[in-house]
Amino acid sequence: MKKQILFLTTLFLSFCLSAQVCDLPEPYVGNTGINMTILLQPSFVQSLPISDTDAYIVALNQNNMVIGSSELYSDDLTSIAVWGDDTFTEYIDGAVENELISFQLVDGGYLYEVTP
């Protein structure tokens, strides 16, 4: 089993103002039994424009399905579990092999694309 550590250090933000029409992704709820945990260093979290106490980051697959989330209103070390698709169901319920994963920050009424 290979372990991979991803450090998100560089940040590019584009955002959707609440005056625009935005579909804010909901936090992930579920457990497929398969995941990859990504470490979010305090310096990365501090670099985000967080102002809402309920801010969170989501991981999305290529179909914009939320496959992981983590609350972020803290300067502490945190992580996000990115859930993979299980083979026990007929439908896709997580990331599949070699799929690109994207991240978004939800901060109140603002939506930011986070590009590491």
Side-chain angles (χ1 to χ4, degrees):
M1 173 187 231
K2 283 201 246 179
K3 288 193 176 188
Q4 198 172 25
I5 298 175
L6 175 64
F7 295 99
L8 302 176
T9 56
T10 307
L11 176 66
F12 172 76
L13 295 175
S14 61
F15 59 94
C16 177
L17 298 174
S18 49
Q20 296 174 320
V21 176
C22 291
D23 289 326
L24 298 178
E26 294 293 322
Y28 179 81
V29 177
N31 180 340
T32 65
I34 302 167
N35 77 44
M36 169 181 71
T37 303
I38 299 172
L39 179 66
L40 303 176
Q41 297 281 348
S43 58
F44 170 75
V45 175
Q46 292 168 6
S47 73
L48 298 171
I50 298 172
S51 61
D52 192 292
T53 57
D54 294 325
Y56 57 95
I57 192 168
V58 295
L60 304 161
N61 69 6
Q62 290 175 257
N63 295 321
N64 287 324
M65 175 194 306
V66 175
I67 54 174
S69 66
S70 181
E71 294 178 359
L72 286 179
Y73 201 79
S74 169
D75 291 341
D76 297 332
L77 184 69
T78 190
S79 63
I80 180 172
V82 177
W83 295 94
D85 182 47
D86 64 37
T87 57
F88 303 110
T89 60
E90 295 177 15
Y91 58 93
I92 304 295
D93 57 358
V96 296
E97 188 174 347
N98 296 317
E99 186 169 36
L100 295 176
I101 306 299
S102 62
F103 298 91
Q104 292 180 335
L105 168 66
V106 179
D107 184 45
Y110 295 94
L111 178 65
Y112 299 88
E113 292 289 330
V114 179
T115 306

